[in-house]
Amino acid sequence: MKDTFQHKGMRKKLVETLVRKGISNADVLAAIGRIPRHWFMDSGFIDHAYVDKAFPIAADQTISQPFTVARQTELLALLPGAKVLEIGTGSGYQSAVLLEMGMTLFTIERQNELFKKTNLFLPKIGYRPKKMIFGDGYKGLPNEAPFDGIIVTAGAPYVPKALLAQLHVGARLVIPVGDEVQIMTVFTRKSATEFEKETYGEFRFVPLLEDKN
Ligand code: SAH
């Protein structure tokens, strides 16, 4: 797998596009500037790796749009070393962004084909999540909770209570909520029983499905 000057040049332009679209977190931009997104794409789409769009990956899923990855990561508002749970490993690109930023990452994928592929691929290119799990993200990861942040990368028809319950006080759940269109929603845990809710506009994701497959 190569990462040429041409790829690096296209990546720099992508980062400039993200800045123009309103991404301001320097650590997020630096991570996206460093990660060869074309390595995460199926061969037919490699030419589009640095276009700010979502693209198909295996098992009818998608690699999220760079803007979406950047916005969700920014909304987690975490420092290096934080313990993060990601629901929907998919291609592993969002995982790589979190790992590049120094997070301790737990990530869950429900599609066995994708799980197996990404489980091999991420360590091969030097990204090592603390744990990659084949399972149902609706349940979170109670044995490893609480987390400093939880990010859901599929459209959730409702907010799973298990995920709210697995946040530290002060931690955030970043989750796109809705059926056809999703509203990016951030829940911040204020106390054992209180959560603050904020919304950040419309996005489109593949659906968060129940059970593993
Ligand atoms: N973060 C990924 C986005 C992949 S798309 C990336 O950067 O490429 C969303 C992913 O969520 C898909 O791979 C889909 O299979 C997965 N998914 C959907 N429902 C899930 C669930 N209940 N638990 C875990 N993963 C789920």
Side-chain angles (χ1 to χ4, degrees):
M1 276 180 294
K2 286 191 198 141
D3 189 31
T4 64
F5 278 115
Q6 205 186 0
H7 290 126
K8 290 189 176 106
M10 288 192 286
R11 207 143 68 227
K12 196 160 166 250
K13 290 222 171 70
L14 171 63
V15 169
E16 287 162 10
T17 303
L18 296 178
V19 171
R20 263 202 314 280
K21 290 185 176 178
I23 303 298
S24 60
N25 183 307
D27 297 333
V28 173
L29 293 167
I32 289 176
R34 280 194 293 265
I35 302 170
R37 186 172 186 256
H38 60 283
W39 292 355
F40 294 77
M41 316 269 291
D42 283 351
S43 53
F45 295 100
I46 284 181
D47 288 349
H48 305 283
Y50 298 104
V51 178
D52 187 26
K53 280 192 180 156
F55 282 99
I57 52 174
D60 289 333
Q61 302 304 315
T62 54
I63 176 169
S64 299
Q65 184 181 341
F67 175 77
T68 305
V69 171
R71 175 62 90 218
Q72 285 198 278
T73 311
E74 190 169 76
L75 288 173
L76 275 174
L78 289 173
L79 295 172
K83 184 173 159 190
V84 184
L85 175 64
E86 177 192 24
I87 312 297
T89 318
S91 70
Y93 181 71
Q94 171 75 69
S95 312
V97 170
L98 292 165
L99 290 165
E100 184 70 43
M101 290 172 71
M103 307 298 167
T104 299
L105 181 68
F106 297 78
T107 180
I108 309 180
E109 172 56 54
R110 71 174 286 281
Q111 283 274 1
N112 197 236
E113 181 189 348
L114 273 174
F115 167 75
K116 285 197 287 198
K117 191 172 164 191
T118 304
N119 191 39
L120 288 177
F121 170 69
L122 274 182
K124 203 164 90 185
I125 60 165
Y127 290 112
R128 291 184 177 77
K130 181 101 180 182
K131 274 194 189 155
M132 295 181 76
I133 293 114
F134 170 51
D136 178 6
Y138 271 96
K139 302 186 179 76
L141 214 52
N143 293 342
E144 303 288 351
F147 295 95
D148 299 321
I150 302 180
I151 175 171
V152 178
T153 71
Y158 63 89
V159 181
K161 288 223 166 60
L163 298 185
L164 290 170
Q166 291 173 32
L167 292 172
H168 262 302
V169 171
R172 299 173 140 205
L173 166 66
V174 179
I175 181 169
V177 186
D179 294 316
E180 291 291 289
V181 174
Q182 293 85 35
I183 306 295
M184 192 60 73
T185 311
V186 176
F187 292 89
T188 307
R189 185 165 209 167
K190 293 292 177 188
S191 71
T193 52
E194 293 160 295
F195 296 86
E196 182 186 272
K197 178 180 163 182
E198 293 160 308
T199 57
Y200 292 89
E202 290 186 356
F203 289 80
R204 278 171 200 275
F205 286 79
V206 294
L208 187 71
L209 300 173
E210 308 264 357
D211 295 330
K212 56 190 179 182
N213 183 358

